[in-house]
């Protein structure tokens, strides 16, 4: 019956009109997320990761979103806000980066979770609060009944992020989009939170979109990876493939410039020259060409002409580079 | 393995070159918040920190948020007066020297900060920013101009950048400006507090590479503060791991990373996700429970004991001292790993 | 929390004492002779001396100050023997001009001023906050622009000018409302309202404009906060997102400002009361200043300080009540 992927995004684009001009923050990305699997979206600051996720959730105000994003077959782009509202929090939920600012400072943690639950299932305040205590317990918060009565600023950083996850899971969604959920946390706490997300995914068969700039986090949790650069997809592949045989020069550059814990002593870091592109005045053709080692070694008119589209280079592996045979 | 008990001062190899910077029992207690009648007890942000930095080497200082890395760093260059212990630079005690007498020494140690923009005056041009420490030294105009041009090239910027203002630069470029300013007086030591934490991965590598090149060319020593263990591993010669204001392990980089002696170091290293899915699947991981405790209310005995998988009764009552566990390496644990 | 309250109350007492001392010192430095003033015209030197004794004006300044302060809490008696006059708690002394107790003078006038101040405050809150919220939520529309241009225009009008125009148009030309005079609310609520409405408007317009602009900024800022985005991500209705998650924090600074303005309003009612010849505290103060009536001036200064300081305290308490983060520390 259900042959749809859980989330099916096709040619999704987001534009902002600003005083300085039109910002094309996302220029047509495609991806799918299956139940029980994790898609990692990785890219540098400003590459469009958050904008993409907010577009799926229908949380952009004053932006032009085009293309398609289907949740279990239901089109989200352009859907009436009231229909979207009923899906938000219920079928698809979001975990934001900084739980201290993402949770409301005035209300108790329990109240905030109960509010989400009641928005979708109704019922009494008491029942919803009991439900909030349950989910707080599920995410490993000790003494959840007492903690539910506290305000976010009374939680430690790791606890707050757990509370954020509890909020997202309170209505048993099918899809969770986590936007840098561990970036603000210490590594030991990050390990706890990632462990938690993976456990919950196993238990509930969640589809997860994990947004991060940390390739280590991607390697840890992702089944499939989308590498974004300058608002579009540079490369898409299963996680193992991406790390063993990266095809796009940007992905390769990124991996080469990464200091690694498991590196040989004296291993050299090869940095990518230059800096990420401006979205107001993006480079012509391939957005990466001003920094691309392949282009620098052998300039090619195709790199500066049309924007290269994703091409399948191997099974389930796509790369947006005209030189793919060179880099293979 | 040999487990000796010896204070650090005696631990230095006899053949090792004299320390550039030596830090002994350094402590910082911040006054506590004001209560109704009197102040609450102080916050021991740094406690009994002891280490040496040799000329031309990089000492990495790692640890989780709030463990006292920045506070230590600021005390090393006397941006903050310690409440205990001392710091000597080339044998001269700089903790008690009055600020005006410190002036001539100041040019020999410098600091770089995490937020490149916050540490640059937005109303000054790059030229003015980099020239400031030189002017403070009383250099002549001609010389300063020439020096600044050299410095700008040294850190990979172009002379045409000199007349621009900080906001016209990207984060990575702004950090280069901060580095140029720190190097203007040809210091022997630079304390870098999370210099790459705010930067994108591809830009991080540029700055790390730059700092390594400058060390090779100028022989400057670094104290490199970061919470990213991989970056620290890459750039450091020796590494000190801090937990709740204390050094829990210090030693040669390769040893510390390959064979951590302290349970905290071990857990910390195992928590860092590796960019390698295959390795990630099979890796042994120690997941620590709970969060780092607050320095305002530290646990008794070994401050790590509430989270330590190896804790015994003695750990709850007795604080372990930093002791030699192998040549050139010390750890503060009653039960160090072999 | 208890400690906090205790500290604040202590600080409040200290401030009031300082205000008291300051006004005392100022009057001591003035050349006028209060005894002669109190005695009235054609008073013999002997009588003036007697009055001086009775009022305690011959005592050293510190003693006088001590008597003044204790009287406020415990009352005092002036003079001795058959001339003794008992001034009950709370005693602020007697007016040099009318020889009436200052406390009575003030409490007579207080209802007028409070009616004026509270009414105006309610009006400017409704207008200002309403316009501000509307503008923020309809940001960039013609409604927003019209409202904001309106606030600039209103903010440019001096209070006396608004008052004059209102009086002329509404009372003289149209005859819609009576010339304002004070009618106690208890006696005739409708009369109270119709008589005060013009002074309210005159007093409220400027603040309404200021509050509208401030509210608009605050709402726009808050609606961009990550926690508002979270509220939407939870699937709440927009009404609830705005009302519960956005407006509450957005209006906190407005409440803070209101508290401060209310305290100051009593002191600032001076102009309006004179303009409309309403017998309020402001008018009493102006008259007393003219006549250098020291006890009345001191009484009003203290009363006004008390209002300002205590409304600040109330604001802080309300703040701690609304925003849990303010409760700690
Ligand atoms: N409301 C907006 N108006 C104009 N431009 C916007 C808006 N929101 C985002 N952008 C721009 O879109 C681009 C992509 O932003 P996005 O937040 O998706 O980056 P990101 O990949 O999530 O980066 P980070 O790692 O820093 O979170 C940025 O250049 C940003 O400036
Ligand atoms: N001026 C100060 N007054 C009081 N406490 C302070 C002050 N500065 C720092 N602290 C406290 O001292 C402790 C150590 O802070 P420090 O900034 O040195 O940590 P850090 O290791 O640099 O952390 P991070 O990784 O977050 O930068 C923290 O608990 C902090 O709250
Ligand atoms: S298309 Fe050209 S510029 Fe872009 S990544 Fe490939 S080789 Fe480099
Ligand atoms: S002393 Fe005890 S508690 Fe502390 S690290 Fe060693 S084993 Fe763990
Ligand atoms: Mg983002
Ligand atoms: Mg720090």
């Amino acid at each position: 019956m259900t042959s749809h992927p859980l989330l099916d995004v096709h040619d999704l684009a987001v534009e902002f009109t600003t005083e300085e001009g039109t910002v094309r923050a996302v220029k047509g990305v495609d991806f799918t997320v299956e139940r029980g699997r994790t898609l990692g979206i990785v890219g540098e600051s400003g590459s469009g990761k958050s904008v993409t996720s907010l577009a799926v959730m229908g949380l952009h105000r004053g932006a032009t979103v085009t293309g398609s994003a289907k949740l279990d077959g239901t089109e989200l782009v352009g859907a009436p806000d009231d229909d979207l509202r009923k899906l938000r929090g219920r079928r698809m939920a979001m975990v934001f980066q900084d739980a201290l600012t993402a949770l409301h400072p005035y209300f108790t943690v329990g109240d905030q979770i109960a509010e989400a639950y009641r928005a979708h299932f109704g019922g009494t305040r008491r029942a919803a609060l009991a439900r909030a205590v349950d989910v707080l317990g599920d995410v490993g918060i000790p003494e959840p009944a007492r903690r539910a009565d506290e305000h976010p600023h009374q939680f430690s950083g790791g606890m707050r992020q757990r509370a954020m996850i509890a909020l997202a899971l309170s209505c048993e969604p099918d899809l969770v989009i986590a936007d840098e959920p561990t970036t603000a946390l210490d590594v030991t706490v990050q390990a706890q939170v990632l462990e938690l997300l993976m456990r919950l995914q196993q238990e509930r068969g969640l589809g997860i979109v994990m947004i991060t700039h940390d390739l280590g986090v991607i390697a840890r949790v992702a089944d499939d990876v989308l590498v974004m650069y300058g608002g579009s997809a540079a490369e898409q592949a299963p996680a193992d493939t991406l790390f063993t045989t990266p095809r796009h020069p940007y992905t390769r550059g990124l991996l080469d410039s990464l200091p690694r814990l498991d590196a040989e002593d004296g291993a050299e870091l090869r940095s990518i020259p230059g800096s990420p592109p401006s979205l107001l005045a993006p480079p012509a053709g391939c957005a990466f060409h001003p920094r691309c080692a392949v282009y620098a070694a052998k300039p090619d008119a195709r790199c500066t002409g049309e924007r290269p589209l994703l091409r399948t280079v191997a099974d389930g592996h796509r790369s947006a580079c005209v030189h793919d045979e060179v880099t293979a | 393995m040999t487990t000796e008990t010896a204070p650090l001062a005696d631990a230095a190899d006899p053949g090792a070159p004299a320390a550039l910077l030596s830090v002994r029992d350094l402590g910082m207690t911040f006054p506590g918040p004001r209560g109704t009648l009197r102040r609450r007890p102080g916050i021991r942000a740094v406690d009994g920190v002891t280490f040496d930095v040799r000329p031309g080497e990089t000492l990495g200082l790692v640890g989780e948020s709030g463990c006292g890395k920045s506070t230590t760093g600021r005390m090393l260059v006397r941006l903050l007066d310690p409440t205990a212990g001392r710091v000597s630079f080339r044998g001269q005690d700089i903790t008690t020297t009055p600020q005006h007498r410190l002036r001539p020494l100041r040019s020999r140690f410098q600091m770089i900060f995490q937020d490149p923009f916050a540490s640059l005056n937005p109303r000054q041009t790059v030229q003015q920013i980099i020239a400031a420490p030189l002017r403070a030294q009383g250099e002549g105009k001609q010389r300063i101009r020439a020096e600044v041009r050299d410095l700008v090239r040294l850190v990979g910027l172009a002379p045409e950048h000199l007349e621009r203002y900080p906001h016209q630069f990207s984060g990575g470029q702004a950090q280069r400006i901060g580095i140029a300013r720190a190097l203007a007086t040809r210091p022997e030591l630079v304390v870098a507090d999370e210099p790459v934490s705010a930067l994108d991965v591809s830009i991080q590598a540029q700055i790390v590479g730059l700092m390594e090149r400058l060390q090779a060319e100028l022989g400057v020593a670094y104290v490199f503060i970061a919470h990213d263990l991989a970056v620290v591993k890459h750039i450091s010669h020796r590494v000190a791991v801090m937990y709740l204001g204390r050094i829990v392990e210090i030693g040669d980089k390769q040893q510390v990373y390959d064979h951590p002696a302290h349970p905290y170091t071990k857990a910390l290293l195992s928590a860092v996700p590796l960019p390698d899915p295959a390795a990630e699947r099979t890796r042994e991981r120690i997941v620590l429970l709970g969060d780092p405790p607050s320095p305002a209310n530290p646990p008794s005995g070994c401050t790590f004991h509430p989270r330590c998988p190896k804790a015994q009764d003695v750990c709850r009552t007795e604080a372990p001292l930093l002791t030699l566990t192998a040549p050139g390496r010390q750890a503060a644990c009653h039960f160090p790993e072999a | 929390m208890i400690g906090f309250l205790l500290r604040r109350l202590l600080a409040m007492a200290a401030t009031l004492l300082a205000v008291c001392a300051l006004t005392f010192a100022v009057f001591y430095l003035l050349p006028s002779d209060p005894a002669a003033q109190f005695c009235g015209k054609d008073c013999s030197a002997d009588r003036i001396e007697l009055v001086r004794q009775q009022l305690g004006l011959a005592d050293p300044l510190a003693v006088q100050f001590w008597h003044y302060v204790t009287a406020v809490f415990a009352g005092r008696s002036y003079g001795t023997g058959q001339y003794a006059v008992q001034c009950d708690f709370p005693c602020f002394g007697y007016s040099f001009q009318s020889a009436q107790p200052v406390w009575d003078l003030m409490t007579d006038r207080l209802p007028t001023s409070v009616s004026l101040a509270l009414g105006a405050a309610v009006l400017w809150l409704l207008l200002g906050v309403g316009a501000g919220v509307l503008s923020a939520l309809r940001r960039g529309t013609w409604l927003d622009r019209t409202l904001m241009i309106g606030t600039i225009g209103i903010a440019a009008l001096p209070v006396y000018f608004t008052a004059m125009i209102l009086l002329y148009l509404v009372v003289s030309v149209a005859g819609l409302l009576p010339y304002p005079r004070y009618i106690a609310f208890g006696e005739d609520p409708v009369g109270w309202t119709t008589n005060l409405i013009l002074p309210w408007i005159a007093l409220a317009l400027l603040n309404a404009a200021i509050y509208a602009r401030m509210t608009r900024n605050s709402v726009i800022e808050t609606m961009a906060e990550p926690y508002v985005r979270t509220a939407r991500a939870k699937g709440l209705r927009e009404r609830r997102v705005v009302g519960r998650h956005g407006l509450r924090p957005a209006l906190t600074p407005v409440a803070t400002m209101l508290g401060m303005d209310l305290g100051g309003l009593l002191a600032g009612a001076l102009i309006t009361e004179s303009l409309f010849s309403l017998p309020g505290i402001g008018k009493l103060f102006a008259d007393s200043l003219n006549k250098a009536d020291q006890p009345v001036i001191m009484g009003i200064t203290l009363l006004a300080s008390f209002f300002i300081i205590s409304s600040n305290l109330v604001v802080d308490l309300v703040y701690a009540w609304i925003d849990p983060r303010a409760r700690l520390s």
Side-chain angles (χ1 to χ4, degrees):
Chain A
M1 265 240 317
T2 56
S3 53
H4 310 292
L6 177 58
L7 180 67
D8 191 358
V9 171
H10 182 67
D11 205 18
L12 188 72
V14 184
E15 276 184 18
F16 297 99
T17 311
T18 67
E19 277 162 26
E20 291 107 277
T22 303
V23 175
R24 297 184 63 201
V26 178
K27 305 166 189 166
V29 292
D30 299 86
F31 58 85
T32 56
V33 183
E34 301 289 349
R35 286 171 190 77
R37 289 179 70 84
T38 302
L39 169 77
I41 303 185
V42 66
E44 294 178 285
S45 177
S47 57
K49 307 183 294 293
S50 300
V51 168
T52 303
S53 63
L54 292 174
V56 170
M57 292 286 292
L59 287 174
H60 279 303
R61 328 203 95 221
T64 316
V65 181
T66 54
S68 148
K70 289 192 179 129
L71 180 73
D72 209 0
T74 311
E75 180 60 59
L76 303 171
V77 176
D81 198 64
D82 209 49
D83 294 357
L84 275 179
R85 185 182 60 71
K86 285 176 188 146
L87 295 174
R88 278 201 289 263
R90 173 67 192 86
R91 305 283 315 277
M92 52 180 184
M94 195 143 177
V95 176
F96 294 101
Q97 169 171 355
D98 183 3
L100 184 61
T101 55
L103 291 171
H104 203 291
Y106 288 8
F107 310 124
T108 64
V109 169
D111 179 31
Q112 298 188 45
I113 298 174
E115 188 183 26
Y117 186 76
R118 285 186 79 200
H120 296 290
F121 298 110
T124 63
R125 241 181 85 81
R126 272 180 86 108
L129 271 172
R131 164 81 194 158
V133 172
D134 283 350
V135 275
L136 284 173
D138 288 349
V139 299
I141 288 186
E143 297 180 73
R146 185 174 66 79
R147 287 304 194 150
D149 245 357
E150 291 186 349
H151 291 90
H153 71 271
Q154 291 165 289
F155 279 46
S156 69
M159 288 288 167
R160 265 198 300 267
Q161 200 53 269
R162 282 168 192 271
M164 187 85 228
I165 293 172
L167 171 64
L169 293 178
S170 59
C171 299
E172 313 227 307
D174 306 310
L175 175 74
V176 170
I177 302 180
D179 190 355
E180 312 251 9
T182 59
T183 303
L185 305 176
D186 280 323
V187 276
T188 59
V189 181
Q190 164 171 289
Q192 296 168 6
V193 170
L194 293 181
E195 201 84 355
L196 170 70
L197 274 173
M198 292 170 81
R199 172 172 67 80
L200 292 166
Q201 174 171 47
Q202 290 221 317
E203 287 171 9
R204 310 178 180 208
L206 292 173
I208 294 183
V209 176
M210 171 67 79
I211 295 173
T212 177
H213 62 264
D214 185 336
L215 283 161
V217 172
I218 291 283
R220 172 110 179 74
V221 303
D223 300 303
D224 305 287
V225 186
L226 164 65
V227 181
M228 288 189 70
Y229 188 81
S232 44
E235 185 163 4
Q236 256 172 314
D240 285 322
T241 316
L242 187 93
F243 284 95
T244 49
T245 47
R247 300 288 288 252
H248 195 279
Y250 172 64
T251 315
R252 297 158 81 104
L254 208 55
L255 284 167
D256 284 344
S257 65
L258 198 65
R260 300 172 68 122
L261 216 50
D262 53 355
E264 294 296 310
D265 193 24
E268 189 192 348
L269 286 192
R270 265 168 299 153
S271 60
I272 305 176
S275 41
S278 143
L279 292 182
L280 276 169
C286 173
F288 187 56
H289 85 254
R291 306 174 73 190
C292 179
V294 176
Y295 178 76
K298 189 168 156 243
D300 185 320
R302 286 178 300 165
C303 297
T304 51
E306 289 279 290
R307 181 161 64 86
L309 296 176
L310 279 174
R311 294 194 297 177
T312 300
V313 292
D315 193 24
H317 192 168
R318 308 199 296 162
S319 164
C321 173
V322 296
H323 265 294
D324 209 69
E325 51 291 20
V326 179
T327 63
Chain B
M1 280 254 109
T2 47
T3 310
E4 297 170 32
T5 7
L8 181 103
D10 309 335
D13 290 65
L20 174 67
L21 186 80
S22 74
V23 181
R24 292 293 172 269
D25 265 326
L26 198 63
M28 181 73 214
T29 306
F30 289 108
R34 273 166 58 185
T36 305
L37 295 173
R38 62 202 146 88
R39 280 181 176 280
R40 308 226 171 85
I43 295 162
R44 251 196 207 185
V46 175
D47 189 13
V49 162
T50 295
F51 60 80
D52 284 341
V53 181
R54 297 169 203 142
E57 81 165 351
T58 301
L59 174 74
L61 201 55
V62 293
E64 292 176 282
S65 171
C67 70
K69 305 182 296 292
S70 299
T71 306
T72 304
R74 290 162 58 86
M75 289 192 289
L76 297 186
V77 295
R78 188 83 186 274
L79 282 178
L80 190 68
D81 285 333
T83 52
R86 74 191 148 79
V87 177
S88 319
F89 185 79
R90 287 227 177 266
Q92 185 176 347
D93 185 345
I94 58 166
T95 31
T96 49
T97 324
Q99 289 286 353
H100 69 272
R101 296 258 301 281
L102 210 58
R103 262 265 180 81
L105 267 179
R106 275 247 178 250
S107 61
R108 297 168 62 187
F109 46 86
Q110 297 285 342
M111 189 145 179
I112 306 173
F113 300 91
Q114 168 168 1
D115 183 350
F117 293 103
S119 58
L120 303 177
N121 183 343
R123 275 185 290 277
Q124 284 188 337
T125 61
V126 173
Q127 163 77 35
Q128 289 168 320
I129 289 171
I130 301 177
L134 293 169
R135 267 205 304 273
Q137 277 190 325
E139 300 260 4
K141 261 211 168 103
Q142 278 316 102
R143 251 198 77 112
I144 291 181
R145 280 212 90 79
E147 284 276 312
V148 170
R149 287 181 90 82
D150 286 350
L151 282 162
V152 162
R153 264 194 222 103
L154 195 63
V155 298
L157 294 174
E160 72 249 29
H161 289 135
L162 282 174
E163 293 314 315
R164 298 198 192 154
Y165 292 87
H167 71 264
Q168 292 168 292
F169 292 91
S170 69
Q173 289 173 316
Q175 198 53 287
R176 288 173 192 268
I177 299 168
I179 292 173
R181 176 180 58 182
L183 292 177
T185 57
R186 304 288 150 150
E188 290 166 278
L189 173 75
V190 170
V191 174
D193 189 358
E194 312 251 10
V196 297
S197 305
L199 306 176
D200 271 323
V201 184
S202 70
I203 311 296
Q204 265 188 13
Q206 295 174 3
I207 299 296
V208 167
L210 171 68
M211 287 183 70
E212 284 174 334
R213 204 188 77 224
L214 292 171
Q215 183 166 59
E217 281 175 28
L218 310 173
V220 56
Y222 296 129
V223 173
F224 191 95
I225 300 172
H227 61 266
D228 183 333
L229 286 127
V231 174
V232 169
K233 181 178 184 192
H234 187 87
I235 199 171
S236 306
H237 301 103
R238 287 192 309 133
V239 177
V241 182
M242 286 184 79
Y243 188 76
L244 219 59
R246 295 166 187 250
I247 291 185
V248 294
E249 176 158 8
I250 180 168
D252 173 66
K253 178 228 333 219
Q254 212 60 41
Q255 285 185 43
V256 171
Y257 276 82
D258 291 350
H259 308 287
H262 196 281
Y264 175 63
T265 314
K266 206 173 165 196
L268 202 58
L269 286 169
S270 86
V272 179
L274 302 176
D276 179 348
E280 271 300 310
R281 275 192 292 272
T282 56
R283 219 166 142 215
E284 179 206 5
R285 214 182 318 272
I286 309 164
V287 175
L288 290 179
L289 303 175
D291 302 291
S294 144
N297 184 20
S300 65
C302 173
T303 50
F304 184 54
H305 85 253
R307 304 175 76 198
C308 180
K310 287 176 75 181
Q312 308 279 321
D313 284 343
V314 60
C315 305
R316 278 177 267 282
T317 50
E318 264 172 63
L321 295 173
L322 198 60
T323 51
L324 215 57
T325 60
R329 188 189 8 189
Q330 301 162 293
C333 174
H334 293 305
F335 309 101
E337 304 283 319
Chain C
M1 194 68 210
I2 301 286
F4 165 79
L5 205 65
L6 224 82
R7 267 206 308 278
R8 287 298 302 263
L9 286 175
L10 262 168
M12 187 168 159
T15 317
L16 284 176
L17 211 65
V19 169
C20 202
L22 209 72
T23 19
F24 223 86
V26 168
F27 276 100
Y28 186 74
L29 295 175
L30 286 181
S32 76
D33 181 356
Q37 214 183 342
F38 191 83
C39 197
K41 264 184 231 158
D42 309 326
C43 228
S44 70
D46 286 355
R47 266 198 71 79
I48 292 182
E49 197 47 39
L50 190 69
V51 168
R52 198 188 308 284
Q53 290 296 333
Q54 258 202 337
L55 292 180
L57 292 172
D59 296 333
L61 187 69
V63 175
Q64 285 186 43
F65 183 64
W66 172 247
H67 283 154
Y68 184 87
V69 173
T70 49
V72 171
F73 297 102
R76 74 188 278 194
S77 56
Y78 287 96
T80 45
Q82 65 179 116
Y83 297 113
V85 177
Q86 179 60 32
C87 172
D88 288 328
F89 156 85
C91 171
F92 287 87
Y94 291 89
S95 161
F96 290 162
Q97 283 299 317
S98 63
Q100 279 180 299
V102 171
W103 179 248
D104 293 353
L105 279 175
M106 292 195 302
T107 44
D108 273 356
R109 309 295 190 96
L110 206 55
T112 314
S113 295
V114 170
S115 302
L116 189 61
L118 284 187
V122 168
L123 198 64
W124 91 53
L125 260 189
L126 288 179
L127 290 177
V129 172
V133 170
L134 213 62
S135 250
L137 297 181
R138 303 262 180 284
R139 189 180 177 188
T141 60
W142 66 266
L143 177 72
D144 175 26
R145 261 173 255 135
T146 316
L147 282 172
M148 285 306 113
I149 290 170
T151 59
I152 294 175
I154 288 169
L157 295 178
V159 175
Y160 65 83
F161 185 73
T162 331
M164 290 311 184
I165 295 278
L166 282 174
L167 275 178
Y168 177 71
L169 290 181
V170 180
V171 179
S172 312
V173 177
L176 286 174
L177 291 170
Y179 191 89
R181 71 197 167 86
Y182 182 68
I183 296 174
F185 180 77
E187 278 169 30
D188 175 9
V190 177
W192 179 78
T193 317
T194 47
N195 273 284
L196 282 174
I197 198 147
L198 284 186
W200 283 342
I201 294 174
L203 197 54
L205 271 184
L206 174 65
N207 271 333
I210 296 173
Y211 274 56
R213 298 192 77 83
M214 178 179 153
T215 305
R216 178 177 182 271
N217 287 342
S218 183
V219 171
I220 287 175
E221 231 169 72
T222 317
M223 291 307 290
E225 290 283 347
Y227 52 74
V228 171
R229 190 184 54 197
T230 307
R232 289 205 179 98
K234 291 202 286 196
L236 302 184
R237 286 175 199 283
E238 191 63 16
R239 286 248 307 267
R240 196 170 170 90
V241 172
V242 174
R244 186 162 191 253
H245 292 254
L247 286 193
R248 274 180 66 159
L251 295 185
T252 313
V254 179
T256 309
M257 191 147 137
L258 179 70
M260 300 203 276
D261 284 347
L262 270 186
L265 188 62
L266 205 69
L270 206 131
I271 301 177
T272 332
E273 285 173 13
S274 326
L275 277 173
F276 291 96
S277 330
L278 287 169
I281 296 268
K283 189 139 188 321
L284 178 65
F285 189 71
D287 295 345
S288 312
L289 264 185
N290 276 336
K291 310 263 166 60
D293 194 346
Q294 181 205 355
V296 182
I297 295 174
M298 284 200 54
I300 296 177
T301 311
L302 281 179
L303 188 73
S305 315
F306 176 78
F307 272 110
I308 292 175
I309 299 171
S310 47
S311 48
N312 271 320
L313 179 60
V314 169
V315 163
D316 285 355
L317 291 179
V318 168
Y319 201 90
W321 176 66
I322 308 181
D323 185 348
R325 284 168 304 178
R327 270 174 228 164
L328 303 174
S329 81

